[in-house]
Amino acid sequence: MLTLALLTLPLLSVASIHSRHQHDHAHNIAKRLPSPQWYHEPDHPVHELFRRGAPTDGVTYAAVGSDGWSAPYPPGPPASPDVKLLPAAWVAALNDAIARKAIPDIPLSTNVSDGGSPVYPSGSDPNSPQICSATYQCRIDGDIWDAADGYVGLSFDDGPEAGTASLLDFLDQQKQQVTHFMIGSNIIYQPDDFLNAFNRGDDIAVHTWTHPHMTTQSNLQVLGELGWTIQIIHNSTGGRVPKFWRPPYGDSDARTRAIAKEVFGLTTIIWNQDTSDWSLDESPPGTTADKIKASMQQWLTGPKSPGLIILEHELTNDSVASFVAAYPVMKSNGWNVVSLAQLVGNNASYQNSASNSGPVIAADVLGAKSIVASSSAPTTSPSGAANSGSNANSNNSLVSAL
Ligand SMILES: *[C@@H]1O[C@H](CO)[C@@H](O)[C@H](O)[C@H]1NC(C)=O
Ligand SMILES: *[C@@H]1O[C@H](CO)[C@@H](O)[C@H](O)[C@H]1NC(C)=O
Ligand SMILES: *[C@@H]1O[C@H](CO)[C@@H](O)[C@H](O)[C@H]1NC(C)=O
Ligand SMILES: *[C@@H]1O[C@H](CO)[C@@H](O)[C@H](O)[C@H]1NC(C)=O
Ligand SMILES: *[C@@H]1O[C@H](CO)[C@@H](O)[C@H](O)[C@H]1NC(C)=O
Ligand SMILES: [Zn+2]
């Protein structure tokens, strides 16, 4: 029997948020406010780091797009966020995770040349269980590479960007939900596209603040890259904490994925097919629309086991056009086409908000202690991988089921 704390929280007052921010950027985040209510996984430290706002602690958030909203964040690339300016609570949570030996003490990689893979010091095997670098195709238990048989999990990296508006237009026509792995510093420059993606019900997920090779980054740099991106998503969605991150270049290892999971509760998502669509608009182009079409045709008419997680980008209208061209092929070949939350998140895009129907849920900052969950809660996901990120110290299976 599943036990956890259940709260009957008052619904977040939509009107109160909006009356405080009546101006150009007072977009309607209300559409995705708690439905039916919030939940928090009770014992993951992330919930101390990103407390939800009104009505529980009286917090309101600056209007997305306003100067007050963007001002507190670090600059974008090339430099990673200054580690001397990290919130003390994040650093304390990292140190706590290190103290309980949850963060592997392994060497950083260095990137040797543009376009090359980062390398570890000689004597360190990137495919050893200690390091297990995704760049070297080593898969860590609990990280997601494949979709369930028969499913295509749709996700788009690097937004908000020049292709975001056309992508959202198409998705609206198709009534299709997807996952956006967003670059935190990009959100500052395209707040409207960010909110449009959020308001239409897509999963907003983390793609770091400045898009580095993460295995080259120190523990504190990893903390800043993830933490600031979570922070801007949290403060721009009424307090939501994203569930997923994707490492830029697919570059993650046992250390970086542990920081993501242990400090921030994030599940690492890689992919099992790569369009190289990011290179369409390079000069000279790295790939072409025809090449992507041929790859898509091959993947989508091939075996349905495992299912597909295809690396795609919302960088330009051209990269989006390659997706638009492939979408009918996905459908006509009988794939179930879903977002990652639908695939491995039991339909909830965020760690602390049940953004779809279902019984709700858990202990949170109010400190309620116990109750019995409804047995009608769904307990499986299409892939069976939904609970893959669970830790010894969390009752993730329950939360993930909601
Ligand atoms: C987590 O699960 C364990 C074992 O089922 C249980 O003893 C514990 O009370 C649970 N913790 C919370 C916070 O629900
Ligand atoms: C996030 O919102 C809270 C509540 O308004 C505020 O205290 C905090 O400074 C914000 N953080 C940033 C980085 O803007
Ligand atoms: C991309 O598409 C959007 C929306 O369809 C359009 O507004 C924009 O002008 C296009 N950008 C380019 C560079 O063509
Ligand atoms: C190292 O990787 C970063 C991206 O993480 C890239 O911007 C930079 O150019 C690379 N440096 C070298 C020397 O290749
Ligand atoms: C997620 O929602 C879809 C409908 O949007 C539903 O068919 C599916 O069963 C749901 N999955 C879970 C695990 O709740
Ligand atoms: Zn990227």
Side-chain angles (χ1 to χ4, degrees):
M1 190 29 64
L2 304 170
T3 37
L4 78 163
L6 176 63
L7 296 174
T8 310
L9 291 173
L11 287 180
L12 228 161
S13 165
V14 170
S16 70
I17 289 184
H18 281 270
S19 61
R20 291 186 187 114
H21 303 299
Q22 290 301 335
H23 65 85
D24 284 355
H25 286 284
H27 299 264
N28 184 16
I29 62 172
K31 281 189 209 145
R32 300 217 71 209
L33 286 175
S35 171
Q37 292 158 349
W38 295 88
Y39 70 88
H40 280 66
E41 182 181 349
D43 50 5
H44 196 288
V46 69
H47 302 303
E48 285 302 312
L49 303 181
F50 302 95
R51 317 260 302 211
R52 82 165 180 264
T56 53
D57 54 15
V59 169
T60 56
Y61 299 100
V64 174
S66 67
D67 290 346
W69 166 77
S70 56
Y73 294 97
S80 277
D82 188 340
V83 297
K84 293 190 293 298
L85 300 179
L86 292 171
W90 300 358
V91 177
L94 172 66
N95 288 336
D96 175 69
I98 291 170
R100 56 188 163 83
K101 303 205 188 311
I103 313 295
D105 181 13
I106 58 172
L108 273 55
S109 72
T110 45
N111 58 341
V112 280
S113 62
D114 276 339
S117 295
V119 296
Y120 292 86
S122 68
S124 303
D125 177 2
N127 277 302
S128 64
Q130 290 74 27
I131 294 179
C132 201
S133 164
T135 291
Y136 294 82
Q137 300 299 305
C138 184
R139 296 188 176 201
I140 296 176
D141 214 26
D143 294 353
I144 307 290
W145 294 65
D146 299 323
D149 293 357
Y151 283 77
V152 177
L154 288 180
S155 60
F156 296 85
D157 289 13
D158 294 2
E161 252 288 2
T164 302
S166 63
L167 174 62
L168 299 185
D169 283 349
F170 178 74
L171 296 173
D172 283 349
Q173 288 162 22
Q174 305 300 327
K175 303 194 181 353
Q176 176 66 55
Q177 184 177 332
V178 304
T179 304
H180 302 267
F181 288 103
M182 289 192 169
I183 297 176
S185 61
N186 281 6
I187 295 171
I188 302 241
Y189 298 108
Q190 294 186 215
D192 290 352
D193 288 323
F194 169 83
L195 282 179
N196 289 339
F198 174 67
N199 284 333
R200 72 178 303 284
D202 286 348
D203 320 328
I204 308 296
V206 171
H207 196 45
T208 76
W209 191 258
T210 72
H211 207 268
H213 284 95
M214 290 291 270
T215 67
T216 68
Q217 304 285 295
S218 70
N219 287 352
L220 289 172
Q221 286 175 316
V222 171
L223 200 68
E225 289 285 346
L226 298 175
W228 288 116
T229 308
I230 295 170
Q231 184 78 66
I232 197 168
I233 292 170
H234 175 272
N235 277 32
S236 309
T237 60
R240 284 169 174 76
V241 176
K243 204 176 245 187
F244 309 117
W245 81 294
R246 174 171 285 157
Y249 317 101
D251 183 49
S252 183
D253 63 15
R255 179 180 63 93
T256 57
R257 66 88 70 190
I259 297 171
K261 174 53 73 179
E262 299 292 335
V263 180
F264 293 129
L266 296 170
T267 294
T268 304
I269 312 268
I270 315 287
W271 59 81
N272 58 14
Q273 295 295 354
D274 183 358
T275 59
S276 296
D277 63 350
W278 60 271
S279 66
L280 277 169
D281 292 277
E282 304 273 293
S283 55
T287 190
T288 64
D290 281 346
K291 282 186 194 166
I292 294 175
K293 190 177 171 191
S295 296
M296 287 286 199
Q297 184 72 22
Q298 186 192 334
W299 302 329
L300 294 167
T301 58
K304 289 212 169 61
S305 180
L308 296 168
I309 296 180
I310 303 173
L311 179 61
E312 299 183 85
H313 292 79
E314 55 193 273
L315 274 172
T316 64
N317 288 353
D318 287 338
S319 62
V320 170
S322 283
F323 162 68
V324 169
Y327 188 79
V329 188
M330 298 175 186
K331 291 295 198 175
S332 65
N333 283 284
W335 292 88
N336 295 305
V337 185
V338 298
S339 82
L340 293 171
Q342 294 169 324
L343 184 70
V344 291
N346 287 291
N347 284 344
S349 306
Y350 306 96
Q351 295 189 54
N352 60 348
S353 172
S355 54
N356 56 341
S357 60
V360 185
I361 312 330
D364 74 352
V365 293
L366 292 183
K369 291 297 182 238
S370 73
I371 201 163
V372 177
S374 162
S375 58
S376 67
T379 53
T380 57
S381 73
S383 72
N387 308 323
S388 54
S390 72
N391 300 314
N393 68 341
S394 73
N395 289 353
N396 235 10
S397 58
L398 179 54
V399 172
S400 298
L402 298 164

